[in-house]
Each structure stands twice: as structure tokens, then as C-alpha cells.
Amino acid sequence: MKTAIYPGTFDPITFGHIDVIKKSLKIFDRVIVATTDNINKNYYFSIEERLSIIKNSLFKDLKLNKKKIIVVPFDILTIDLCKKYNATVIIRGLRAVSDFEYEFQMTGMNYQLEPVIETIFLMSSEKNSFISSNFVKEV
């Protein structure tokens, strides 16, 4: 079973995130959607609220397959999360070229920590590329 981790804060989850999850399901047998409380960010929603919003969005609203998606909180390095779930791939969503530099640096660091875990970048659809969690919170 090929498993991938899609980590993020998802504060809140957006249609762009959902695009990436749907695309991931076409590639992987199982996708772990993992949300964290990074100490360097101020959150609009608590971790419990984000977990509930993600689960409601994916399973109640969109009726995605619960057997293929697991939603979890995490407070460890993403690489360690991959090891915990036997995931060999980290999924990162990109909206624009401006996202790439940060993601590229993160990928390099993850590679240094665990070279056997790959990172793939998936683009959200064009209609959702302008949506960010920060914009959603502002609105």
C-alpha cells in the first residue's frame, strides 16, 4: 500500500487543499492529512476545530472515501510522521511560483534528514490558485 502524508496547518482547509487531496487520491492508496500547531503561528481555529472542519469537509460534505484518507494531528517532524505511518512520500501543494522557494528549502531539509522519503508538489486547480487560508480568515 502506497501511503503519502499531506501535512499543513489547514487553518482553515480551503478548496485548494481539497484539490490537492483529490489529486493525491488518484496517485496513492492512502493519504494522511495531518494538521499541526506550529508554535510560530497564530491560529484562528484550534487544532480540535481544524480536525473537525477537515473531517466534515472531506467525509460529510464531499463524501470522500474514509478508507483512503486518515486525518490526524501531529507535533513531530514530518519525516517522523512519515515513519510512523510508513509513508514514503510527502505531498506539498503549490498555488504559485512564490510558494516554490520555501517548499524547495523544506524538501532539501527533509531529504537531508531522510533521503528515502520523497516530496512531490501538486498544483491546485487554476480556479483555486488564488485562495489561501489567510485570505479566507480575512474574509
Side-chain angles (χ1 to χ4, degrees), residues 83-131:
K83 292 175 186 176
K84 179 178 178 178
Y85 288 97
N86 295 317
T88 56
V89 175
I90 298 169
I91 299 165
R92 299 301 297 170
L94 296 175
R95 290 171 303 178
V97 174
S98 58
D99 293 339
F100 183 74
E101 186 172 343
Y102 171 79
E103 296 297 345
F104 183 76
Q105 291 173 353
M106 183 76 70
T107 298
M109 180 57 70
N110 287 335
Y111 181 80
Q112 292 301 312
L113 294 171
E114 191 57 63
V116 299
I117 297 175
E118 296 292 340
T119 298
I120 65 167
F121 301 105
L122 294 175
M123 301 291 296
S124 62
S125 65
E126 187 177 315
K127 69 180 180 181
N128 295 316
S129 63
F130 70 93
I131 299 171

Side-chain angles (χ1 to χ4, degrees), residues 24-91:
S24 300
L25 291 170
K26 294 177 184 177
I27 302 168
F28 300 99
D29 300 313
R30 183 171 70 160
V31 175
I32 312 294
V33 179
T35 185
T36 187
D37 267 339
N38 180 324
I39 59 172
N40 298 322
K41 288 192 173 187
N42 293 321
Y43 294 97
Y44 190 81
F45 296 103
S46 71
I47 189 92
E48 294 81 13
E49 290 171 314
R50 284 183 276 138
L51 289 165
S52 178
I53 292 167
I54 294 166
K55 289 175 183 178
N56 284 336
S57 298
L58 299 178
F59 305 131
K60 278 181 128 181
D61 297 339
L62 297 171
K63 310 261 190 272
L64 296 180
N65 188 340
K66 288 183 180 181
K67 293 178 183 175
K68 292 191 71 162
I69 304 169
I70 299 171
V71 179
V72 298
F74 76 106
D75 60 1
I76 57 178
L77 291 175
T78 304
I79 291 297
D80 293 331
L81 188 69
C82 289
K83 292 175 186 176
K84 179 178 178 178
Y85 288 97
N86 295 317
T88 56
V89 175
I90 298 169
I91 299 165

